[in-house]
Amino acid sequence: TQLLEQSPQFLSIQEGENLTVYCNSSSVFSSLQWYRQEPGEGPVLLVTVVTGGEVKKLKRLTFQFGDARKDSSLHITAAQPGDTGLYLCAGDPPGSEKLVFGKGTKLTVNP
Amino acid sequence: DTAVSQTPKYLVTQMGNDKSIKCEQNLGHDTMYWYKQDSKKFLKIMFSYNNKELIINETVPNRFSPKSPDKAHLNLHINSLELGDSAVYFCASTRMGEGTDTQYFGPGTRLTVL
């Protein structure tokens, strides 16, 4: 079973700070997705990365897929209270029909 | 218009009861899923259907039985509910079931077994 380890599990920061969330595995993934989940709602896709070394930017969010396609990171610049939520990474193992989800990083941005 | 809808949103019931959760997607997707999210927020796949055909059946007690009357609907029936079944259950759909497809999640059904 391929596992995705997310760190940190919890992160509480002040508005304006920068942060990075990591998603690591010892296995290769064909692609990796990042979702954000707000309380009482389902996860919503932020980005999909497919190519090793790929970097994607979504406003203040920067996503990177490791060269070996075993890890990914999410960097948020100048965090805002609206960024508060549970961030989940999900990997697509080669030849598998299901996504593997990390356990999530619960981010709280305090005003 | 809600893309993936689930009913009910909250379900509180006694141990031993049988209950169903319904899911509908209006996106025209071919593949639908049931996930279980535990109290620690870990999201784990339970079942996947593609065009009404069961594709993924994870190690789930056989008290859980999915049913897909058509490709827009995937219901989950749970028999003899146990305390450990308490969780949030999410339905999701994807266009074709491929790994790079976006998973569109429903709002979740919070099941509490007393």
Side-chain angles (χ1 to χ4, degrees):
Chain A
T1 303
Q2 292 177 278
L3 296 175
L4 276 169
E5 300 286 339
Q6 272 189 251
S7 61
Q9 193 176 355
F10 298 97
L11 190 54
S12 181
I13 60 171
Q14 293 300 121
E15 183 175 1
E17 292 183 4
N18 301 333
L19 66 113
T20 302
V21 175
Y22 299 93
C23 181
N24 296 310
S25 176
S26 58
S27 305
V28 173
F29 291 94
S30 300
S31 65
L32 199 136
Q33 300 177 347
W34 283 92
Y35 290 82
R36 180 167 69 209
Q37 183 179 10
E38 299 191 12
E41 298 181 13
V44 175
L45 180 73
L46 295 173
V47 79
T48 301
V49 284
V50 180
T51 308
E54 183 177 2
V55 177
K56 279 192 173 178
K57 291 195 174 185
L58 190 67
K59 296 183 181 178
R60 294 176 293 101
L61 278 60
T62 302
F63 304 85
Q64 186 161 7
F65 201 13
D67 291 340
R69 289 186 289 131
K70 293 182 180 181
D71 55 84
S72 181
S73 63
L74 156 60
H75 183 79
I76 302 180
T77 304
Q80 298 178 1
D83 297 327
T84 293
L86 178 72
Y87 288 82
L88 296 159
C89 64
D92 170 32
S96 175
E97 291 164 322
K98 63 184 181 186
L99 287 181
V100 173
F101 278 83
K103 292 193 175 184
T105 294
K106 188 171 181 184
L107 171 65
T108 303
V109 182
N110 302 299
Chain B
D1 286 342
T2 306
V4 182
S5 59
Q6 290 179 232
T7 54
K9 189 160 174 65
Y10 300 96
L11 186 51
V12 181
T13 189
Q14 299 286 335
M15 267 175 51
N17 284 350
D18 303 338
K19 290 293 177 185
S20 291
I21 308 171
K22 296 187 175 182
C23 177
E24 176 181 0
Q25 54 96 3
N26 62 7
L27 297 166
H29 287 170
D30 286 343
T31 307
M32 295 183 73
Y33 308 79
W34 277 111
Y35 286 88
K36 179 180 180 181
Q37 189 172 44
D38 61 24
S39 57
K40 294 186 178 180
K41 304 299 184 184
F42 186 35
L43 198 63
K44 194 170 179 187
I45 192 166
M46 300 172 69
F47 302 103
S48 164
Y49 270 74
N50 183 277
N51 267 318
K52 302 192 297 177
E53 182 184 343
L54 182 64
I55 301 297
I56 296 171
N57 186 352
E58 288 296 286
T59 308
V60 176
N62 58 14
R63 298 181 293 103
F64 290 78
S65 51
K67 279 193 174 60
S68 182
D70 55 63
K71 75 172 193 178
H73 295 85
L74 181 61
N75 304 322
L76 183 65
H77 187 76
I78 315 170
N79 288 328
S80 303
L81 278 155
E82 299 178 358
L83 293 176
D85 297 333
S86 294
V88 181
Y89 292 83
F90 286 99
C91 175
S93 72
T94 62
R95 190 168 56 90
M96 292 174 62
E98 295 177 355
T100 51
D101 285 352
T102 300
Q103 300 241 343
Y104 290 85
F105 285 86
T109 295
R110 181 175 291 277
L111 171 64
T112 303
V113 182
L114 304 174

PDB file of all heavy atoms in Angstrom, chain B residues 98-111:
ATOM      1  N   GLU B  98      -9.984   8.437 -14.138  1.00  0.00           N
ATOM      2  CA  GLU B  98      -8.535   8.399 -14.299  1.00  0.00           C
ATOM      3  C   GLU B  98      -7.863   9.214 -13.194  1.00  0.00           C
ATOM      4  O   GLU B  98      -8.465  10.102 -12.619  1.00  0.00           O
ATOM      5  CB  GLU B  98      -8.149   8.952 -15.675  1.00  0.00           C
ATOM      6  CG  GLU B  98      -8.674   8.082 -16.799  1.00  0.00           C
ATOM      7  CD  GLU B  98      -8.360   8.642 -18.165  1.00  0.00           C
ATOM      8  OE1 GLU B  98      -7.810   9.749 -18.250  1.00  0.00           O
ATOM      9  OE2 GLU B  98      -8.688   7.952 -19.156  1.00  0.00           O
ATOM     10  N   GLY B  99      -6.615   8.896 -12.931  1.00  0.00           N
ATOM     11  CA  GLY B  99      -5.930   9.491 -11.787  1.00  0.00           C
ATOM     12  C   GLY B  99      -5.799  10.994 -11.832  1.00  0.00           C
ATOM     13  O   GLY B  99      -5.745  11.648 -10.804  1.00  0.00           O
ATOM     14  N   THR B 100      -5.758  11.578 -13.028  1.00  0.00           N
ATOM     15  CA  THR B 100      -5.603  13.027 -13.109  1.00  0.00           C
ATOM     16  C   THR B 100      -6.960  13.746 -13.123  1.00  0.00           C
ATOM     17  O   THR B 100      -7.001  14.961 -13.137  1.00  0.00           O
ATOM     18  CB  THR B 100      -4.831  13.412 -14.386  1.00  0.00           C
ATOM     19  OG1 THR B 100      -5.467  12.768 -15.508  1.00  0.00           O
ATOM     20  CG2 THR B 100      -3.386  12.978 -14.308  1.00  0.00           C
ATOM     21  N   ASP B 101      -8.033  12.991 -13.130  1.00  0.00           N
ATOM     22  CA  ASP B 101      -9.356  13.629 -13.107  1.00  0.00           C
ATOM     23  C   ASP B 101      -9.578  14.342 -11.789  1.00  0.00           C
ATOM     24  O   ASP B 101      -9.178  13.847 -10.731  1.00  0.00           O
ATOM     25  CB  ASP B 101     -10.471  12.575 -13.263  1.00  0.00           C
ATOM     26  CG  ASP B 101     -10.604  12.069 -14.684  1.00  0.00           C
ATOM     27  OD1 ASP B 101      -9.945  12.634 -15.572  1.00  0.00           O
ATOM     28  OD2 ASP B 101     -11.357  11.104 -14.878  1.00  0.00           O
ATOM     29  N   THR B 102     -10.272  15.444 -11.829  1.00  0.00           N
ATOM     30  CA  THR B 102     -10.667  16.127 -10.606  1.00  0.00           C
ATOM     31  C   THR B 102     -11.759  15.340  -9.921  1.00  0.00           C
ATOM     32  O   THR B 102     -12.715  14.891 -10.570  1.00  0.00           O
ATOM     33  CB  THR B 102     -11.208  17.524 -10.931  1.00  0.00           C
ATOM     34  OG1 THR B 102     -10.182  18.263 -11.585  1.00  0.00           O
ATOM     35  CG2 THR B 102     -11.632  18.258  -9.666  1.00  0.00           C
ATOM     36  N   GLN B 103     -11.604  15.154  -8.620  1.00  0.00           N
ATOM     37  CA  GLN B 103     -12.660  14.509  -7.834  1.00  0.00           C
ATOM     38  C   GLN B 103     -13.580  15.612  -7.323  1.00  0.00           C
ATOM     39  O   GLN B 103     -13.137  16.543  -6.652  1.00  0.00           O
ATOM     40  CB  GLN B 103     -12.057  13.759  -6.641  1.00  0.00           C
ATOM     41  CG  GLN B 103     -11.085  12.671  -7.037  1.00  0.00           C
ATOM     42  CD  GLN B 103     -11.525  11.295  -6.579  1.00  0.00           C
ATOM     43  OE1 GLN B 103     -12.371  11.164  -5.709  1.00  0.00           O
ATOM     44  NE2 GLN B 103     -10.956  10.256  -7.163  1.00  0.00           N
ATOM     45  N   TYR B 104     -14.843  15.532  -7.658  1.00  0.00           N
ATOM     46  CA  TYR B 104     -15.826  16.492  -7.171  1.00  0.00           C
ATOM     47  C   TYR B 104     -16.555  15.837  -6.005  1.00  0.00           C
ATOM     48  O   TYR B 104     -17.213  14.799  -6.170  1.00  0.00           O
ATOM     49  CB  TYR B 104     -16.817  16.854  -8.278  1.00  0.00           C
ATOM     50  CG  TYR B 104     -16.190  17.680  -9.377  1.00  0.00           C
ATOM     51  CD1 TYR B 104     -15.517  17.061 -10.421  1.00  0.00           C
ATOM     52  CD2 TYR B 104     -16.258  19.067  -9.356  1.00  0.00           C
ATOM     53  CE1 TYR B 104     -14.924  17.809 -11.435  1.00  0.00           C
ATOM     54  CE2 TYR B 104     -15.669  19.820 -10.370  1.00  0.00           C
ATOM     55  CZ  TYR B 104     -15.010  19.190 -11.391  1.00  0.00           C
ATOM     56  OH  TYR B 104     -14.423  19.928 -12.382  1.00  0.00           O
ATOM     57  N   PHE B 105     -16.406  16.453  -4.836  1.00  0.00           N
ATOM     58  CA  PHE B 105     -16.959  15.870  -3.629  1.00  0.00           C
ATOM     59  C   PHE B 105     -18.317  16.479  -3.291  1.00  0.00           C
ATOM     60  O   PHE B 105     -18.564  17.664  -3.524  1.00  0.00           O
ATOM     61  CB  PHE B 105     -16.020  16.099  -2.441  1.00  0.00           C
ATOM     62  CG  PHE B 105     -14.806  15.215  -2.456  1.00  0.00           C
ATOM     63  CD1 PHE B 105     -13.678  15.583  -3.163  1.00  0.00           C
ATOM     64  CD2 PHE B 105     -14.795  14.021  -1.749  1.00  0.00           C
ATOM     65  CE1 PHE B 105     -12.549  14.767  -3.190  1.00  0.00           C
ATOM     66  CE2 PHE B 105     -13.669  13.209  -1.756  1.00  0.00           C
ATOM     67  CZ  PHE B 105     -12.551  13.577  -2.473  1.00  0.00           C
ATOM     68  N   GLY B 106     -19.173  15.650  -2.708  1.00  0.00           N
ATOM     69  CA  GLY B 106     -20.399  16.149  -2.128  1.00  0.00           C
ATOM     70  C   GLY B 106     -20.109  16.809  -0.788  1.00  0.00           C
ATOM     71  O   GLY B 106     -18.967  16.802  -0.322  1.00  0.00           O
ATOM     72  N   PRO B 107     -21.128  17.354  -0.141  1.00  0.00           N
ATOM     73  CA  PRO B 107     -20.930  18.079   1.121  1.00  0.00           C
ATOM     74  C   PRO B 107     -20.729  17.173   2.320  1.00  0.00           C
ATOM     75  O   PRO B 107     -20.409  17.649   3.409  1.00  0.00           O
ATOM     76  CB  PRO B 107     -22.230  18.879   1.264  1.00  0.00           C
ATOM     77  CG  PRO B 107     -23.238  18.071   0.519  1.00  0.00           C
ATOM     78  CD  PRO B 107     -22.511  17.450  -0.634  1.00  0.00           C
ATOM     79  N   GLY B 108     -20.912  15.869   2.135  1.00  0.00           N
ATOM     80  CA  GLY B 108     -20.689  14.939   3.236  1.00  0.00           C
ATOM     81  C   GLY B 108     -21.957  14.639   4.023  1.00  0.00           C
ATOM     82  O   GLY B 108     -22.885  15.452   4.080  1.00  0.00           O
ATOM     83  N   THR B 109     -21.979  13.457   4.600  1.00  0.00           N
ATOM     84  CA  THR B 109     -23.042  13.039   5.518  1.00  0.00           C
ATOM     85  C   THR B 109     -22.382  12.661   6.833  1.00  0.00           C
ATOM     86  O   THR B 109     -21.567  11.741   6.875  1.00  0.00           O
ATOM     87  CB  THR B 109     -23.813  11.823   4.974  1.00  0.00           C
ATOM     88  OG1 THR B 109     -24.492  12.183   3.780  1.00  0.00           O
ATOM     89  CG2 THR B 109     -24.817  11.313   6.009  1.00  0.00           C
ATOM     90  N   ARG B 110     -22.701  13.406   7.884  1.00  0.00           N
ATOM     91  CA  ARG B 110     -22.110  13.093   9.192  1.00  0.00           C
ATOM     92  C   ARG B 110     -22.990  12.069   9.883  1.00  0.00           C
ATOM     93  O   ARG B 110     -24.123  12.359  10.258  1.00  0.00           O
ATOM     94  CB  ARG B 110     -21.987  14.356  10.052  1.00  0.00           C
ATOM     95  CG  ARG B 110     -21.343  14.078  11.420  1.00  0.00           C
ATOM     96  CD  ARG B 110     -21.117  15.354  12.217  1.00  0.00           C
ATOM     97  NE  ARG B 110     -20.078  16.173  11.617  1.00  0.00           N
ATOM     98  CZ  ARG B 110     -18.783  15.995  11.824  1.00  0.00           C
ATOM     99  NH1 ARG B 110     -18.360  15.027  12.609  1.00  0.00           N
ATOM    100  NH2 ARG B 110     -17.904  16.791  11.254  1.00  0.00           N
ATOM    101  N   LEU B 111     -22.463  10.870  10.018  1.00  0.00           N
ATOM    102  CA  LEU B 111     -23.187   9.760  10.653  1.00  0.00           C
ATOM    103  C   LEU B 111     -22.714   9.608  12.090  1.00  0.00           C
ATOM    104  O   LEU B 111     -21.520   9.488  12.341  1.00  0.00           O
ATOM    105  CB  LEU B 111     -22.949   8.464   9.887  1.00  0.00           C
ATOM    106  CG  LEU B 111     -23.466   7.177  10.531  1.00  0.00           C
ATOM    107  CD1 LEU B 111     -24.993   7.181  10.644  1.00  0.00           C
ATOM    108  CD2 LEU B 111     -22.994   5.948   9.768  1.00  0.00           C
TER     109      LEU B 111
END
